[in-house]
Amino acid sequence: MSGKADPRAAGEGTTSRTRLERGRGALGPALELVHTGRAPTRAVLTAELGVTRATAGAVAAELEALGLIRVDARPGAAAGSQGRPSHRLSVAEDGPVALAAQVHADGFRAALVGLGGRIVATAPGCEVVAADPAKVLGSVVETGAELLRQTGRRCVGAGLAVPSAVAEPEGLALNPLHLAWPAGAPVRRIFAEQVRAAGIDGPAFAANDVNLAALAEHRHGAGRGARDLLCVATGHRGVGGALVLDGRLHMGSSGLALEVGHLAVNPEGRPCHCGSRGCLDVEADPLAFLTAAGREPGPEVSLLQQSYDLIRDHYADPAVRTATEALIDRLGLGLAGLVNILNPDRIILGGLHRALLDADPERLRAVVADRSLWGQSGGVPILPCGLDHNSLVGAAELAWQPVLDDPLDALA
C-alpha cells in the first residue's frame, strides 16, 4: 500500500472545510435576511446569499439549532405550482429576546423584543420622571428584569431610547430638554451598570429615540425598501428627525446629525430651549398643538394622547381644525427644507405628525411640494410610521446587532 495521501480525499476535505467556513460567514447575513423578512424561504435565502443550496440548507439548520429561526420542512405548495416547494423560514417565536427601554417626558416603558421586531411583552412605568437618571434607569431595568423573570426568556442584550441627542463615543445625553436630567448625563454607562446589577446578560446600548424609531421602521415598518429614508416625529414633547442611508443610520461625526427640531419655521414664533425662536420643537409638538387649539393641557393623560383625542373627537371644531392646519403648514415648511437638502426617496412621520398627516394628507403634501424642488419633479412619498412602539423596537435592534453580526460568537 502506498504511503501517499489520496489526492481525492484531500480535495474533498478542502471542499468541506471551505463550505463550513463559507457557511459560518453566511450565518449573520442569513439571520438578518430572515429577521427583516427578506428571506421567507430557503430558495430565496440561497439566491440572496449567492451560495449553493447545500450551504444555504446548512446555514438554516445551524440558525435553527441556535434557537433563532424555524425551518418548516413540510410547507404546502401553492396552487398551480410545479416542483418541490422550498422550506419556509421564520424567526423562532420562543427564541431569545432583547430588553428594550424607552424614557420620555411622561414616564418610561420596558419591553422584550424578539427577532423580526416582535414585541413579546411590555410594561409601562411611572408618570413623573425623576431628575436622577440612575433612579429612572434603575426602575426601567427592574421592570424589564421582571418581564424576563415572568417569561423565562434568554436575553441577548439591552437597548435604551432617550429623547436627547446622544454623543458618540461616550454615550452622553447632551440635550434631554424635556427631562429634568442634567445635560451631558452619561446615560449609556448608567444604563449598562443597571443592566449588570440586575443580572441581565449581554451588552447594553443607548441612542436617540427618533434615530431608533427610524431604524426599526426601515427594517420592519413603513421604511422597508427605502434607500434614503427621512423620519420626522414628535412624541410626548419636542420634534426629532433621523436619516437612514443605504440601511444605516446617518449619525454625523459624533452622533448628533438630524437635530431637525431646531429648524426655524416661524421667525416670530415661540422662544425655543435652544435660544432661537419658532423652531419645529416648539411650533409643531403636542404642547404647541393644544395651545393653538385653545386647550389647557390637563394632567390626566400625556400631552400626546390629549392631542390624539382632540383630533379624533373634535376635528369638526373650527379651533381644532385651524390649529391642525397651522401645525401642518409649519411641519410642511420644515420638511420642504429637509427635502431640498437631503433628497430622500421616502419620508415617514410619527407621533402627532402621523395624526396630522392622517387628518389632511393632501395639505401637507402640497406644502412640501410647493416649497421644495420636489414640486418641480413629482413628489416624495410621505407616509405614516407603521409600527407601534417603534423606538422600543429600534432600541432592541441595537441589542440584536451583535447577534446579527456573528450569531455563534454572540450566543457562545
PDB file of all heavy atoms in Angstrom, residues 30-52:
ATOM      1  N   ALA A  30     -27.518  35.648   6.748  1.00  0.00           N
ATOM      2  CA  ALA A  30     -28.732  34.843   6.629  1.00  0.00           C
ATOM      3  C   ALA A  30     -29.733  35.209   7.718  1.00  0.00           C
ATOM      4  O   ALA A  30     -30.935  35.352   7.458  1.00  0.00           O
ATOM      5  CB  ALA A  30     -28.382  33.356   6.707  1.00  0.00           C
ATOM      6  N   LEU A  31     -29.240  35.374   8.941  1.00  0.00           N
ATOM      7  CA  LEU A  31     -30.139  35.721  10.036  1.00  0.00           C
ATOM      8  C   LEU A  31     -30.774  37.089   9.799  1.00  0.00           C
ATOM      9  O   LEU A  31     -31.970  37.280  10.056  1.00  0.00           O
ATOM     10  CB  LEU A  31     -29.375  35.710  11.358  1.00  0.00           C
ATOM     11  CG  LEU A  31     -30.208  36.035  12.603  1.00  0.00           C
ATOM     12  CD1 LEU A  31     -31.337  35.035  12.776  1.00  0.00           C
ATOM     13  CD2 LEU A  31     -29.325  36.066  13.850  1.00  0.00           C
ATOM     14  N   GLU A  32     -29.998  38.037   9.302  1.00  0.00           N
ATOM     15  CA  GLU A  32     -30.561  39.358   9.031  1.00  0.00           C
ATOM     16  C   GLU A  32     -31.637  39.293   7.953  1.00  0.00           C
ATOM     17  O   GLU A  32     -32.657  39.986   8.032  1.00  0.00           O
ATOM     18  CB  GLU A  32     -29.461  40.341   8.617  1.00  0.00           C
ATOM     19  CG  GLU A  32     -29.993  41.747   8.401  1.00  0.00           C
ATOM     20  CD  GLU A  32     -28.895  42.791   8.306  1.00  0.00           C
ATOM     21  OE1 GLU A  32     -27.746  42.492   8.646  1.00  0.00           O
ATOM     22  OE2 GLU A  32     -29.219  43.918   7.894  1.00  0.00           O
ATOM     23  N   LEU A  33     -31.445  38.451   6.947  1.00  0.00           N
ATOM     24  CA  LEU A  33     -32.450  38.298   5.893  1.00  0.00           C
ATOM     25  C   LEU A  33     -33.762  37.750   6.443  1.00  0.00           C
ATOM     26  O   LEU A  33     -34.848  38.202   6.072  1.00  0.00           O
ATOM     27  CB  LEU A  33     -31.920  37.394   4.783  1.00  0.00           C
ATOM     28  CG  LEU A  33     -30.839  37.986   3.883  1.00  0.00           C
ATOM     29  CD1 LEU A  33     -30.161  36.896   3.060  1.00  0.00           C
ATOM     30  CD2 LEU A  33     -31.434  39.052   2.966  1.00  0.00           C
ATOM     31  N   VAL A  34     -33.672  36.783   7.342  1.00  0.00           N
ATOM     32  CA  VAL A  34     -34.891  36.240   7.955  1.00  0.00           C
ATOM     33  C   VAL A  34     -35.482  37.260   8.921  1.00  0.00           C
ATOM     34  O   VAL A  34     -36.700  37.470   8.966  1.00  0.00           O
ATOM     35  CB  VAL A  34     -34.594  34.907   8.669  1.00  0.00           C
ATOM     36  CG1 VAL A  34     -35.854  34.364   9.336  1.00  0.00           C
ATOM     37  CG2 VAL A  34     -34.038  33.871   7.684  1.00  0.00           C
ATOM     38  N   HIS A  35     -34.637  37.911   9.688  1.00  0.00           N
ATOM     39  CA  HIS A  35     -35.043  38.913  10.679  1.00  0.00           C
ATOM     40  C   HIS A  35     -35.843  40.042  10.041  1.00  0.00           C
ATOM     41  O   HIS A  35     -36.834  40.524  10.606  1.00  0.00           O
ATOM     42  CB  HIS A  35     -33.769  39.444  11.343  1.00  0.00           C
ATOM     43  CG  HIS A  35     -33.939  40.623  12.233  1.00  0.00           C
ATOM     44  ND1 HIS A  35     -34.748  40.621  13.350  1.00  0.00           N
ATOM     45  CD2 HIS A  35     -33.379  41.871  12.192  1.00  0.00           C
ATOM     46  CE1 HIS A  35     -34.677  41.799  13.957  1.00  0.00           C
ATOM     47  NE2 HIS A  35     -33.862  42.564  13.270  1.00  0.00           N
ATOM     48  N   THR A  36     -35.442  40.476   8.867  1.00  0.00           N
ATOM     49  CA  THR A  36     -36.110  41.594   8.196  1.00  0.00           C
ATOM     50  C   THR A  36     -37.175  41.135   7.196  1.00  0.00           C
ATOM     51  O   THR A  36     -37.743  41.960   6.487  1.00  0.00           O
ATOM     52  CB  THR A  36     -35.078  42.469   7.462  1.00  0.00           C
ATOM     53  OG1 THR A  36     -34.313  41.652   6.559  1.00  0.00           O
ATOM     54  CG2 THR A  36     -34.138  43.144   8.449  1.00  0.00           C
ATOM     55  N   GLY A  37     -37.435  39.841   7.144  1.00  0.00           N
ATOM     56  CA  GLY A  37     -38.487  39.322   6.283  1.00  0.00           C
ATOM     57  C   GLY A  37     -38.129  39.222   4.825  1.00  0.00           C
ATOM     58  O   GLY A  37     -39.004  39.007   3.984  1.00  0.00           O
ATOM     59  N   ARG A  38     -36.847  39.368   4.497  1.00  0.00           N
ATOM     60  CA  ARG A  38     -36.441  39.343   3.085  1.00  0.00           C
ATOM     61  C   ARG A  38     -36.099  37.945   2.582  1.00  0.00           C
ATOM     62  O   ARG A  38     -35.823  37.773   1.401  1.00  0.00           O
ATOM     63  CB  ARG A  38     -35.236  40.268   2.882  1.00  0.00           C
ATOM     64  CG  ARG A  38     -35.590  41.755   3.005  1.00  0.00           C
ATOM     65  CD  ARG A  38     -34.370  42.616   2.847  1.00  0.00           C
ATOM     66  NE  ARG A  38     -33.466  42.478   3.991  1.00  0.00           N
ATOM     67  CZ  ARG A  38     -32.149  42.643   3.922  1.00  0.00           C
ATOM     68  NH1 ARG A  38     -31.574  42.918   2.751  1.00  0.00           N
ATOM     69  NH2 ARG A  38     -31.415  42.535   5.007  1.00  0.00           N
ATOM     70  N   ALA A  39     -36.132  36.947   3.460  1.00  0.00           N
ATOM     71  CA  ALA A  39     -35.878  35.565   3.035  1.00  0.00           C
ATOM     72  C   ALA A  39     -36.928  34.667   3.663  1.00  0.00           C
ATOM     73  O   ALA A  39     -36.669  33.980   4.647  1.00  0.00           O
ATOM     74  CB  ALA A  39     -34.475  35.125   3.430  1.00  0.00           C
ATOM     75  N   PRO A  40     -38.138  34.648   3.104  1.00  0.00           N
ATOM     76  CA  PRO A  40     -39.204  33.823   3.683  1.00  0.00           C
ATOM     77  C   PRO A  40     -39.057  32.340   3.390  1.00  0.00           C
ATOM     78  O   PRO A  40     -39.721  31.520   4.031  1.00  0.00           O
ATOM     79  CB  PRO A  40     -40.470  34.389   3.024  1.00  0.00           C
ATOM     80  CG  PRO A  40     -39.994  34.928   1.710  1.00  0.00           C
ATOM     81  CD  PRO A  40     -38.608  35.459   1.957  1.00  0.00           C
ATOM     82  N   THR A  41     -38.215  31.986   2.416  1.00  0.00           N
ATOM     83  CA  THR A  41     -37.997  30.580   2.080  1.00  0.00           C
ATOM     84  C   THR A  41     -36.507  30.302   1.910  1.00  0.00           C
ATOM     85  O   THR A  41     -35.702  31.230   1.726  1.00  0.00           O
ATOM     86  CB  THR A  41     -38.709  30.185   0.774  1.00  0.00           C
ATOM     87  OG1 THR A  41     -38.076  30.856  -0.327  1.00  0.00           O
ATOM     88  CG2 THR A  41     -40.192  30.558   0.812  1.00  0.00           C
ATOM     89  N   ARG A  42     -36.168  29.018   1.940  1.00  0.00           N
ATOM     90  CA  ARG A  42     -34.769  28.645   1.762  1.00  0.00           C
ATOM     91  C   ARG A  42     -34.290  28.940   0.347  1.00  0.00           C
ATOM     92  O   ARG A  42     -33.110  29.263   0.130  1.00  0.00           O
ATOM     93  CB  ARG A  42     -34.573  27.163   2.094  1.00  0.00           C
ATOM     94  CG  ARG A  42     -33.123  26.806   2.387  1.00  0.00           C
ATOM     95  CD  ARG A  42     -33.002  25.403   2.926  1.00  0.00           C
ATOM     96  NE  ARG A  42     -33.320  24.404   1.901  1.00  0.00           N
ATOM     97  CZ  ARG A  42     -33.298  23.083   2.114  1.00  0.00           C
ATOM     98  NH1 ARG A  42     -32.998  22.617   3.321  1.00  0.00           N
ATOM     99  NH2 ARG A  42     -33.588  22.231   1.155  1.00  0.00           N
ATOM    100  N   ALA A  43     -35.185  28.859  -0.622  1.00  0.00           N
ATOM    101  CA  ALA A  43     -34.795  29.180  -2.001  1.00  0.00           C
ATOM    102  C   ALA A  43     -34.402  30.652  -2.123  1.00  0.00           C
ATOM    103  O   ALA A  43     -33.405  30.986  -2.772  1.00  0.00           O
ATOM    104  CB  ALA A  43     -35.946  28.852  -2.954  1.00  0.00           C
ATOM    105  N   VAL A  44     -35.179  31.536  -1.496  1.00  0.00           N
ATOM    106  CA  VAL A  44     -34.840  32.961  -1.527  1.00  0.00           C
ATOM    107  C   VAL A  44     -33.530  33.187  -0.777  1.00  0.00           C
ATOM    108  O   VAL A  44     -32.677  33.973  -1.220  1.00  0.00           O
ATOM    109  CB  VAL A  44     -35.975  33.800  -0.908  1.00  0.00           C
ATOM    110  CG1 VAL A  44     -35.571  35.269  -0.828  1.00  0.00           C
ATOM    111  CG2 VAL A  44     -37.250  33.644  -1.717  1.00  0.00           C
ATOM    112  N   LEU A  45     -33.351  32.514   0.351  1.00  0.00           N
ATOM    113  CA  LEU A  45     -32.112  32.643   1.114  1.00  0.00           C
ATOM    114  C   LEU A  45     -30.913  32.245   0.265  1.00  0.00           C
ATOM    115  O   LEU A  45     -29.878  32.923   0.257  1.00  0.00           O
ATOM    116  CB  LEU A  45     -32.185  31.778   2.366  1.00  0.00           C
ATOM    117  CG  LEU A  45     -30.981  31.859   3.316  1.00  0.00           C
ATOM    118  CD1 LEU A  45     -30.925  33.223   3.972  1.00  0.00           C
ATOM    119  CD2 LEU A  45     -31.052  30.758   4.371  1.00  0.00           C
ATOM    120  N   THR A  46     -31.032  31.138  -0.459  1.00  0.00           N
ATOM    121  CA  THR A  46     -29.948  30.672  -1.332  1.00  0.00           C
ATOM    122  C   THR A  46     -29.582  31.737  -2.357  1.00  0.00           C
ATOM    123  O   THR A  46     -28.398  32.042  -2.571  1.00  0.00           O
ATOM    124  CB  THR A  46     -30.375  29.378  -2.044  1.00  0.00           C
ATOM    125  OG1 THR A  46     -30.705  28.382  -1.071  1.00  0.00           O
ATOM    126  CG2 THR A  46     -29.266  28.851  -2.941  1.00  0.00           C
ATOM    127  N   ALA A  47     -30.609  32.315  -2.989  1.00  0.00           N
ATOM    128  CA  ALA A  47     -30.362  33.326  -4.019  1.00  0.00           C
ATOM    129  C   ALA A  47     -29.758  34.595  -3.428  1.00  0.00           C
ATOM    130  O   ALA A  47     -28.828  35.176  -3.998  1.00  0.00           O
ATOM    131  CB  ALA A  47     -31.668  33.641  -4.747  1.00  0.00           C
ATOM    132  N   GLU A  48     -30.269  35.036  -2.282  1.00  0.00           N
ATOM    133  CA  GLU A  48     -29.784  36.276  -1.664  1.00  0.00           C
ATOM    134  C   GLU A  48     -28.343  36.145  -1.184  1.00  0.00           C
ATOM    135  O   GLU A  48     -27.559  37.084  -1.284  1.00  0.00           O
ATOM    136  CB  GLU A  48     -30.687  36.669  -0.494  1.00  0.00           C
ATOM    137  CG  GLU A  48     -32.068  37.166  -0.897  1.00  0.00           C
ATOM    138  CD  GLU A  48     -32.020  38.531  -1.533  1.00  0.00           C
ATOM    139  OE1 GLU A  48     -31.076  39.297  -1.245  1.00  0.00           O
ATOM    140  OE2 GLU A  48     -32.923  38.853  -2.335  1.00  0.00           O
ATOM    141  N   LEU A  49     -27.988  34.982  -0.659  1.00  0.00           N
ATOM    142  CA  LEU A  49     -26.627  34.779  -0.160  1.00  0.00           C
ATOM    143  C   LEU A  49     -25.641  34.481  -1.284  1.00  0.00           C
ATOM    144  O   LEU A  49     -24.429  34.664  -1.115  1.00  0.00           O
ATOM    145  CB  LEU A  49     -26.595  33.634   0.859  1.00  0.00           C
ATOM    146  CG  LEU A  49     -27.331  33.855   2.182  1.00  0.00           C
ATOM    147  CD1 LEU A  49     -27.265  32.585   3.032  1.00  0.00           C
ATOM    148  CD2 LEU A  49     -26.741  35.024   2.951  1.00  0.00           C
ATOM    149  N   GLY A  50     -26.140  33.992  -2.406  1.00  0.00           N
ATOM    150  CA  GLY A  50     -25.252  33.618  -3.501  1.00  0.00           C
ATOM    151  C   GLY A  50     -24.430  32.384  -3.190  1.00  0.00           C
ATOM    152  O   GLY A  50     -23.266  32.289  -3.580  1.00  0.00           O
ATOM    153  N   VAL A  51     -25.032  31.428  -2.475  1.00  0.00           N
ATOM    154  CA  VAL A  51     -24.341  30.193  -2.120  1.00  0.00           C
ATOM    155  C   VAL A  51     -25.085  29.025  -2.725  1.00  0.00           C
ATOM    156  O   VAL A  51     -26.136  29.180  -3.355  1.00  0.00           O
ATOM    157  CB  VAL A  51     -24.269  30.025  -0.582  1.00  0.00           C
ATOM    158  CG1 VAL A  51     -23.473  31.171   0.041  1.00  0.00           C
ATOM    159  CG2 VAL A  51     -25.668  29.959   0.036  1.00  0.00           C
ATOM    160  N   THR A  52     -24.524  27.836  -2.539  1.00  0.00           N
ATOM    161  CA  THR A  52     -25.203  26.648  -3.048  1.00  0.00           C
ATOM    162  C   THR A  52     -26.402  26.313  -2.177  1.00  0.00           C
ATOM    163  O   THR A  52     -26.514  26.753  -1.029  1.00  0.00           O
ATOM    164  CB  THR A  52     -24.249  25.445  -3.064  1.00  0.00           C
ATOM    165  OG1 THR A  52     -23.908  25.107  -1.713  1.00  0.00           O
ATOM    166  CG2 THR A  52     -22.978  25.753  -3.859  1.00  0.00           C
TER     167      THR A  52
END
